[in-house]
Amino acid sequence: MPVEQVLTPIAAWLNSVFAAFDYSITLLIHKLYEWGGDFMTKIMELISLLGWKGAFLILLSLTLIFFKKTRRFGTAMAIGLAVGVLFVNIYLKVVVARPRPYTHEEYAALWALVGQNVESDFCFPSGHTNAAFAAMVPVFILGKKRWSWLALLFGVLMAVSRVYLVVHYPTDVIGGMITGTVAGMIGVLVSLYLPKVWYRWDLLKKKAEEA
């Protein structure tokens, strides 16, 4: 599917300066295919699906908001996701307008190996990775560190899956990690300054009283 495209200055700079880095890291991640073959591809597709349009992460944040004990997590996650989507998907991707790696000849063979997944928008930064970190960084910050680091692991796995499927360059997912982390931290900060009554409101108790 290689095609010639006119690049924006930013996209051209990314493709030029980081060409060797992006390709070498992509090849390294594709060692996973050598070890796991199509089974590994299915795992990566499943992980990637969890970031599709942020649907799973949005549903998770809303579920956590519903319960009083987890409302701070859910609130920070929801705010982080909103900030991340506005900045990345609506603004940054459009401004940079970097074409997907599978549109370039050197990535075509790798892309063919892993199912030829096609995305409809531009690729810098990674929206999936941005959403994963925007949602999981609040969990890491607000949660107990003995288990909350698993949230960051989810974000890293999301980033790896996107490179593995050849729908993103490594620099795309690094960009997504950065923007998602910033968005997640904004979510945490805003959640800390919301009125305390928001966190005291018990939806389940109210429903029980109404019943």
Side-chain angles (χ1 to χ4, degrees):
M1 194 176 170
V3 294
E4 290 188 6
Q5 298 185 0
V6 177
L7 301 178
T8 64
I10 300 175
W13 179 77
L14 288 168
N15 285 357
S16 174
V17 173
F18 297 102
F21 171 81
D22 278 334
Y23 192 61
S24 61
I25 297 300
T26 300
L27 288 177
L28 180 62
I29 288 177
H30 261 259
K31 293 289 184 182
L32 294 171
Y33 181 84
E34 296 178 14
W35 299 332
D38 291 339
F39 177 72
M40 180 61 68
T41 298
K42 294 300 181 185
I43 292 175
M44 291 298 170
E45 287 178 339
L46 176 60
I47 295 171
S48 184
L49 181 63
L50 294 175
W52 182 75
K53 297 188 181 301
F56 166 74
L57 295 170
I58 292 171
L59 180 60
L60 177 60
S61 68
L62 293 177
T63 301
L64 293 175
I65 286 173
F66 185 80
F67 297 99
K68 184 178 177 181
K69 289 184 178 181
T70 57
R71 188 165 300 145
R72 191 174 296 278
F73 291 100
T75 300
M77 288 171 64
I79 295 170
L81 285 166
V83 171
V85 166
L86 288 172
F87 183 63
V88 170
N89 295 75
I90 295 178
Y91 175 71
L92 202 52
K93 278 196 174 192
V94 177
V95 170
V96 177
R98 189 185 196 186
R100 298 280 174 172
Y102 55 72
T103 63
H104 297 279
E105 187 70 43
E106 61 267 34
Y107 290 87
L110 297 175
W111 181 60
L113 281 175
V114 294
Q116 297 183 322
N117 293 274
V118 176
E119 300 286 347
S120 60
D121 57 354
F122 296 112
C123 70
F124 183 89
S126 166
H128 280 63
T129 307
N130 170 72
F133 274 80
M136 294 297 111
V137 163
V139 177
F140 174 73
I141 293 175
L142 298 174
K144 294 181 179 179
K145 296 304 177 287
R146 64 183 179 186
W147 57 262
S148 67
W149 62 271
L150 292 172
L152 296 184
L153 178 60
F154 172 78
V156 172
L157 289 175
M158 182 65 71
V160 169
S161 75
R162 302 303 282 168
V163 176
Y164 177 93
L165 295 173
V166 198
V167 292
H168 280 292
Y169 297 99
T171 42
D172 295 338
V173 300
I174 291 172
M177 289 178 180
I178 294 171
T179 57
T181 297
V182 172
M185 292 175 69
I186 291 173
V188 171
L189 288 174
V190 173
S191 72
L192 293 176
Y193 287 96
L194 289 177
K196 291 182 179 179
V197 65
W198 168 244
Y199 299 108
R200 290 197 295 261
W201 187 27
D202 194 333
L203 294 173
L204 293 177
K205 183 177 180 180
K206 182 177 180 181
K207 285 184 177 294
E209 291 174 349
E210 290 176 349

